[in-house]
Amino acid sequence: MSFLHLESLTKRYGNNVAVQDMTLDIAQGEFVSLLGPSGCGKTTTLQMIAGFVEPSRGRIWMNGDDITSCKPNQRGIGIVFQSYALFPHMTVAENVRFGLEMRKVPISESRQQVWEALELVRLEHLEDRYPRELSGGQRQRVALARALVIRPPLLLLDEPLSNLDAQLRENMQIELRNIQQQVGTTTLMVTHDQSEALSLSDRVVVMNEGKVVQVDEPFSAYENPKNKFVSSFVGKTNLFACHIDQQIGSQAQVKLGDYQLEISVPIDIQGDQVQLSIRPEKLELTHQGAGQLNGCVRTRLFLGNHWLYQVDSSIGELLITQPNLGVQGAAVGEDVGIRWQEGAVRILGEQAHD
């Protein structure tokens, strides 16, 4: 049996369904992210697991126990909020000790546990400082230490890195993943940041309009999106509605502009109208006439480690990313060829008209 089991979990607010029939299993020690746009139901799911929101239907099981009706303080779950929710009048050590005091852990025991938690997040030298004296990343680590010091069976993270700037957020992603793997605590994170979910998680649960759309390992979710929504939300993509000219078994002939493409067809595809997906990094700019398609560069953006191109082609507008190899690359207005490797173009498991 899984460590955390959500069984047909549903939450309604009047006629609005925030979460619909969510069933999910999370293994002991696994790091899972709920990923989706605002209003998709991910935070409501987290709040139901924490006990802050009562489900309209369904059950929540943790380590074999039904905790659906348990109060939040009876669940023993560690939570890190988006705002960190630190007590401004308490020092770092006092903030971390708070959960232990609520559990009436003797000061002689809690002192060592607080030290170990601060050492885990590398803040033991700041134990006497107040939150106002800390950076955003340090406050985030205090909140994490406070959640972990009670040694929770389950750690819930509610957009924990969203208040940090881009560079600090990347650094904290590494810190957070290292800490989670070191401690081995089962972790469920809510985020709308695709790169955050992909980099931190063992599995990603993609949600939309209250429903689970796809549950997969990060690499599989990105490389093999189930449908148009997942393809567009989990990273950037180029989408095209196409017609299957001929199909033999699982292989089909599809015309992409002037190029005839042979491609594998998912088993759930019905009919001959399909949606093709091509990731921007799977496309490569080359000399005009040397690729499968020709185009003209409309826009070029320099993003540091890579270039982002907007190219007009015979099949429409294409987004193309190219690594920064220390050269300027194609210029705006330049005629170019566009090529890709076998397997770069995917048919999505969704009708073109859906």
Side-chain angles (χ1 to χ4, degrees):
M1 188 175 185
S2 62
F3 179 77
L4 180 67
H5 175 63
L6 309 182
E7 181 183 321
S8 302
L9 203 60
T10 299
K11 181 60 185 179
R12 295 187 181 89
Y13 293 100
N15 294 326
N16 179 46
V17 181
V19 179
Q20 183 173 337
D21 291 323
M22 183 176 187
T23 296
L24 178 67
D25 288 295
I26 298 177
Q28 180 99 43
E30 193 175 18
F31 194 124
V32 174
S33 290
L34 302 182
L35 173 65
S38 298
C40 73
K42 57 187 186 296
T43 297
T44 301
T45 301
L46 196 81
Q47 291 174 337
M48 286 191 284
I49 296 170
F52 301 142
V53 170
E54 183 181 356
S56 303
R57 187 168 65 86
R59 315 301 297 175
I60 303 169
W61 299 79
M62 187 171 68
N63 203 20
D65 296 324
D66 186 344
I67 63 169
T68 312
S69 301
C70 292
K71 295 179 180 179
N73 61 351
Q74 296 174 330
R75 302 187 183 200
I77 294 174
I79 305 173
V80 176
F81 298 98
Q82 182 177 353
S83 62
Y84 313 142
L86 300 178
F87 298 110
H89 62 285
M90 292 184 181
T91 65
V92 166
E94 290 168 342
N95 265 284
V96 175
R97 186 178 295 116
F98 180 77
L100 298 174
E101 291 179 347
M102 294 298 99
R103 287 162 175 78
K104 303 189 184 304
V105 177
I107 188 70
S108 58
E109 295 180 27
S110 67
R111 186 179 292 112
Q112 180 62 27
Q113 292 178 34
V114 169
W115 176 263
E116 290 173 355
L118 288 176
E119 192 175 34
L120 182 68
V121 299
R122 297 186 296 141
L123 288 178
E124 65 273 18
H125 61 294
L126 300 179
E127 62 176 343
D128 294 324
R129 291 198 185 180
Y130 289 89
R132 64 179 177 274
E133 300 173 310
L134 303 176
S135 68
Q138 289 169 337
R139 288 196 293 269
Q140 195 270 349
R141 281 188 276 168
V142 173
L144 184 59
R146 184 178 61 182
L148 291 172
V149 75
I150 62 172
R151 298 171 185 173
L154 176 66
L155 178 64
L156 302 180
L157 306 175
D158 184 12
E159 303 272 8
L161 308 181
S162 61
N163 291 331
L164 306 180
D165 61 59
Q167 184 173 356
L168 183 56
R169 186 162 60 245
E170 288 184 2
N171 293 337
M172 283 308 305
Q173 286 175 7
I174 297 173
E175 292 277 354
L176 180 57
R177 185 55 169 157
N178 287 340
I179 290 169
Q180 191 272 337
Q181 289 181 326
Q182 183 177 343
V183 177
T185 303
T186 307
T187 303
L188 182 65
M189 180 177 73
V190 159
T191 183
H192 64 273
D193 188 311
Q194 300 92 332
S195 63
E196 190 170 284
L198 295 176
S199 62
L200 287 172
S201 310
D202 296 309
R203 284 189 301 151
V204 174
V205 180
V206 185
M207 298 182 65
N208 188 36
E209 297 180 346
K211 298 178 181 179
V212 173
V213 183
Q214 184 169 349
V215 181
D216 226 324
E217 294 180 358
F219 182 81
S220 295
Y222 185 84
E223 291 292 332
N224 302 296
K226 185 177 180 181
N227 57 25
K228 178 180 176 181
F229 172 78
V230 179
S231 180
S232 300
F233 190 79
V234 182
K236 295 182 176 67
T237 195
N238 297 288
L239 292 172
F240 302 99
C242 291
H243 179 272
I244 294 178
D245 293 331
Q246 183 181 4
Q247 182 172 351
I248 302 175
S250 62
Q251 294 299 114
Q253 295 286 335
V254 178
K255 196 170 185 180
L256 192 56
D258 296 327
Y259 184 75
Q260 193 74 24
L261 181 68
E262 185 171 310
I263 192 168
S264 179
V265 182
I267 59 174
D268 59 343
I269 287 290
Q270 301 294 324
D272 55 8
Q273 299 298 317
V274 295
Q275 196 95 35
L276 296 187
S277 170
I278 316 174
R279 295 289 189 189
E281 71 277 10
K282 308 290 187 184
L283 297 172
E284 181 183 353
L285 294 181
T286 185
H287 300 295
Q288 187 179 30
Q292 287 96 326
L293 300 172
N294 288 318
C296 180
V297 176
R298 182 198 299 179
T299 307
R300 183 183 72 169
L301 299 178
F302 179 60
L303 300 176
N305 62 350
H306 70 277
W307 296 88
L308 175 63
Y309 293 93
Q310 187 180 45
V311 179
D312 291 326
S313 76
S314 59
I315 60 172
E317 178 187 296
L318 287 169
L319 285 179
I320 302 174
T321 59
Q322 301 283 270
N324 174 21
L325 301 177
V327 294
Q328 285 288 337
V332 173
E334 183 176 340
D335 292 324
V336 294
I338 304 161
R339 66 185 178 192
W340 58 84
Q341 299 298 318
E342 184 178 353
V345 184
R346 302 292 180 91
I347 291 181
L348 300 179
E350 178 179 90
Q351 299 301 314
H353 52 73
D354 283 347

